[in-house]
Amino acid sequence: MTKTRLAAALSLALLVAPSSEAAKYTVVELPVADEGQNSFPSAINQDGNVTVNVNSPFNIPIDLDLLDFESETLVNLLTDVQAASNGDFNSVDYQLLLALIDSADGSQTSQQIASRISFLASENETDYITGFDQLTDFSNEFSIATNTNVRDINNSGMAVGSGEGFYNKVDYTFEDGDDVTFIVHEFGTRGFVSLGNTIVDLPPPETIAGGFSDAFGINESNQVVGYGSTSFLTDTLETAIESCEDEELVDDDDPDTTDFPARGDVPIESCISSVVSTFSSSVTSYAQLRGLIWQLDDQGNLLDTKELGLLFEPEAEDTTVYSSQAIAINDNGIAVGISNGEYTESDVTVIRNYGVIFDGDEIINLTPDPERIVARTSNTISTAQDINNDNLVVGYQVKSVNGTNRTKFYVYDMNLSELTFPDDFFLGSSSVALDINNNGQVVGYGDIDASLTGRRTEGFIYDHQTQEFSGLQGLIDCDSPYKIVQANSINDNGEIVATARYQGPSKDAMGEVVLDSAGSEIIVDLVTAVKLVPIVGGEIEACDVPDEVNRDRQGANLSWILGLGLLVLGFRRRNTI
């Protein structure tokens, strides 16, 4: 589903093109602004193709068959019931219907709508990454019903991420004669690979109740890393599925009532979907989770699944849920990520999360000796976010700075067994490294002020060879409307995809610009995916630093949006267990 916008791209190029080479990077906004309210990039490959996640997508198709336009609720709420019942929505009625549908999220009798979808973007066009979404039965459009989260892409164009299982319709007649349509799905969240129009399912080793899996990274050998359900703690879910499928009637010894199977007066699909939802909402209550490596061939066929371990070996009788995750993998087949590990002090042992390297069957703890005060107060000691082909690993470690826990980005050289913490914005800044290319250039983000609340962030680039650290805002044109708040990924050409804050017009659920009573655009703070392209011969421009702290503006503070972006991207892939 390609959407080419050459005119928009030309206008955008004129908007962001530098008037001179008084900058190190040109900022190019990716053409995803028409897809949803805010966009967050996750990865870039050598061709400059970028994976992007979009929140609050525009123009979600509404299934008229699931709405009762003769109901008192709709008759009283809608401004034009007749037009709406024919699918001819005005902006007010469209948003009212979406709000009603959204309020019934999770119900098996209501349409499901996605809050987050994914795209593959270049500078001129976008392609919808469907995940497990499908075309609707009422239009020739995708349903936009399942949330997706795409995280990485290799140079062959294989993008990886995770998505919800598609919601199917099941028509059913109750015993009392009433007809109803159930909205059900077969699994909750599962990893996938997207290759053109092909979606490859990445199942976990254990798939009871649909199982659970998530994919975070891919290398040039088509090895995909992530994690998933590897064993179940009890047979509760298996028993529940069997009960759903059992057609034998349960006699309640009451001749005046109708006997039903154990699932009750609902279709099998509804019963199984309920079990799936129960499992999906609390995966760690039911299943062990381990890092996984899926091997695919060049056509996208799944060849093998390898299970990764933990930093320690639990006792055989231990039924506690432990987790490990593989987040990235280089072309040498070495993966990095996170694992539960033990921390012992005064004969008391607790579980903490550590950044690790998965090298064959060996698991290397990058931070085996955390600061005591950190280990006492933080569940996460460190993470490993990426590894390049020179076996340089980047991530962050939690450190105590002036009595406060702060994340500090690091570079670990496997060849030298050397862990270094480069200087970042300032001593008390929390910094996170998200990606490293094969030239040793690291990108991430960190705090740029020391206020106790609402700490602003800025994307950075660090050159491991020259040991030079730079905030990216100072490397772009002074007149750029964009504030680079995160640097998410960098390719070997030095092109960076970043998350930028800017001020733009508010849009409604149809993607139309919202006007105030005077007919003027309502300007709000927005977040968008941008690409920073190096300027050959470019130089840093001396900019006057504006005072942003108390500036007046319309729209809400963006801290919650950026926080949601981090949740969506999982620190580009994922960083907590």
Side-chain angles (χ1 to χ4, degrees), residues 238-486:
E238 185 175 11
T239 300
I241 295 292
E242 291 173 352
S243 295
C244 288
E245 296 172 340
D246 191 349
E247 293 286 358
E248 183 177 353
L249 301 182
V250 178
D251 189 352
D252 62 1
D253 296 324
D254 186 347
D256 296 326
T257 61
T258 303
D259 296 329
F260 294 103
R263 65 177 178 271
D265 188 10
V266 295
I268 294 174
E269 296 89 345
S270 169
C271 181
I272 292 176
S273 185
S274 295
V275 178
V276 168
S277 296
T278 298
F279 170 63
S280 300
S281 64
S282 53
V283 172
T284 55
S285 298
Y286 296 97
Q288 295 285 353
L289 303 172
R290 297 291 185 272
L292 300 171
I293 300 178
W294 295 274
Q295 178 67 67
L296 283 70
D297 63 19
D298 290 339
Q299 287 70 49
N301 299 304
L302 180 59
L303 304 178
D304 181 60
T305 303
K306 178 181 179 179
E307 181 179 332
L308 305 174
L310 297 169
L311 276 173
F312 68 104
E313 186 65 37
E315 298 292 336
E317 64 275 9
D318 190 348
T319 58
T320 304
V321 173
Y322 298 110
S323 299
S324 63
Q325 299 173 13
I327 294 175
I329 186 168
N330 66 11
D331 294 339
N332 306 319
I334 302 174
V336 297
I338 315 165
S339 173
N340 282 162
E342 295 180 322
Y343 174 78
T344 302
E345 183 181 337
S346 301
D347 297 327
V348 176
T349 298
V350 294
I351 298 300
R352 295 292 183 253
N353 299 322
Y354 294 87
V356 296
I357 298 170
F358 301 98
D359 187 4
D361 294 327
E362 182 183 10
I363 304 178
I364 302 169
N365 188 346
L366 289 168
T367 53
D369 300 309
E371 298 174 48
R372 178 183 297 180
I373 189 172
V374 170
R376 288 175 172 177
T377 56
S378 176
N379 288 328
T380 296
I381 302 301
S382 60
T383 73
Q385 295 296 131
D386 198 22
I387 180 171
N388 72 5
N389 290 338
D390 291 325
N391 297 339
L392 295 177
V393 181
V394 296
Y396 73 80
Q397 181 177 344
V398 180
K399 288 178 167 289
S400 180
V401 180
N402 295 328
T404 302
N405 286 351
R406 300 293 188 203
T407 61
K408 288 293 184 180
F409 90 92
Y410 66 76
V411 179
Y412 178 79
D413 189 332
M414 283 186 66
N415 305 305
L416 302 175
S417 299
E418 182 178 76
L419 183 69
T420 59
F421 292 89
D423 291 336
D424 50 20
F425 289 105
F426 59 94
L427 179 62
S429 171
S430 286
S431 57
V432 174
L434 298 179
D435 197 25
I436 182 170
N437 66 12
N438 290 315
N439 301 319
Q441 293 175 299
V442 181
V443 293
Y445 67 96
D447 296 332
I448 58 172
D449 63 45
S451 64
L452 295 179
T453 60
R455 293 166 70 94
R456 295 177 300 153
T457 66
E458 182 178 324
F460 70 75
I461 182 170
Y462 171 73
D463 191 318
H464 183 63
Q465 302 301 321
T466 64
Q467 300 183 12
E468 181 181 3
F469 176 93
S470 301
L472 285 170
Q473 196 64 41
L475 304 183
I476 65 175
D477 184 43
C478 291
D479 296 328
S480 173
Y482 303 105
K483 303 300 180 186
I484 308 302
V485 295
Q486 296 171 22

Side-chain angles (χ1 to χ4, degrees), residues 99 109 129 227 351 364 368 439 550:
T109 56
I129 297 178
Y227 77 126
I351 298 300
I364 302 169
N439 301 319
N550 296 313

